[in-house]
Amino acid sequence: MVVVLLGPPGVGKGTQAVRLAVAMGAAHVSTGDLLRAARREGTALGRAAQGFMDRGELVPDDLILDLVREHLDGVDHDTDVLFDGFPRTEDQATSLDQALAKLDRSVDLVVLFEADDDVLVRRLSGRRSCPNCGSVYNVFFNAPAEDGVCDRCAGELVHRKDDDPETVGRRLQVYMDETAPLIAFYEDHDAPLRRIEADRDVDEIYREFEAAVRAEGQA
Ligand code: AMP
């Protein structure tokens, strides 16, 4: 099964994706995480992406698509895939459909996580993430047991530079302009689109998310 998680930055997609991927043994493909890893490793892609990311802008489609295609090549065709933060433009969504068709696969479900802007701003400013295993926490809503330490792998948690207040505003605007049109794209798509209200307790959201994905898997 291939699931696309759609929604604005800070809505909690990453937290939910990591949790469900572990529960289902699915591949979690977060282009944001892949780009941050490329930056840490100092690859050509990482260097090319750096400025865009720090300004809160989208990295150009061709770079993202090469990254995703390369990553998909390494995923077994029977493995469930959860796309998190990808696609973010209509060109990316169309290219994803084409790349999956070549593998005899397709997007099976789109889950749209929704929350108001003021909630997103608080979520982003409180966010702490683990560069080691990708787990995401929030000091206000979903704090780790020990301050600054990942519950899952004991890695040191970091506050992302692009979660700074100035960049957060820019990222929300970029979402509205470039990614929100994907909602209409997926409303017209063969895959069903499920909406989840994300301004709620993280466990409650997870139960609804997991149920939606498992139901689609049995459909
Ligand atoms: P994220 O962790 O998903 O919020 O992504 C962090 C940053 O990486 C974004 O603000 C973009 O600069 C870049 N990025 C991640 N995924 C994509 C994508 N699918 N298309 C373009 N840029 C992306």
Side-chain angles (χ1 to χ4, degrees), residues 31-32 35-36 53 57-59 64 85 88 92 160 171:
T31 42
L35 290 168
R36 281 182 287 278
M53 295 174 77
E57 294 166 7
L58 294 187
V59 173
I64 295 290
R88 260 172 152 105
Q92 291 182 15
R160 283 165 43 176
R171 289 167 65 203

Side-chain angles (χ1 to χ4, degrees), residues 36 127-131 148 155-161 163:
R36 281 182 287 278
R127 179 152 76 173
R128 301 290 180 272
S129 48
C130 177
E156 188 184 339
L157 301 180
V158 297
H159 184 56
R160 283 165 43 176
K161 188 172 185 293
D163 285 343

Side-chain angles (χ1 to χ4, degrees), residues 142-159:
N142 176 32
E146 190 183 336
D147 202 21
V149 180
C150 179
D151 290 347
R152 195 163 149 220
C153 75
E156 188 184 339
L157 301 180
V158 297
H159 184 56

Side-chain angles (χ1 to χ4, degrees), residues 4-13 52 55-59 83-90 92 110-117 120-121 124 127 167-187 193-196 198:
V4 166
L5 283 74
L6 200 59
V11 80
K13 303 184 297 292
F52 297 101
R55 288 190 299 274
E57 294 166 7
L58 294 187
V59 173
F83 282 108
D84 163 16
F86 173 85
R88 260 172 152 105
T89 64
E90 287 201 26
Q92 291 182 15
V110 180
V111 181
L112 171 62
F113 293 85
E114 298 179 292
D116 290 340
D117 275 9
L120 300 173
V121 169
L124 290 167
R127 179 152 76 173
T167 318
V168 162
R170 174 88 188 115
R171 289 167 65 203
L172 292 174
Q173 191 58 49
V174 166
Y175 174 79
M176 285 313 296
D177 294 344
E178 304 196 44
T179 307
L182 280 184
I183 299 170
F185 175 94
Y186 280 121
E187 275 172 344
L193 178 113
R194 302 265 177 271
R195 292 171 184 261
I196 293 188

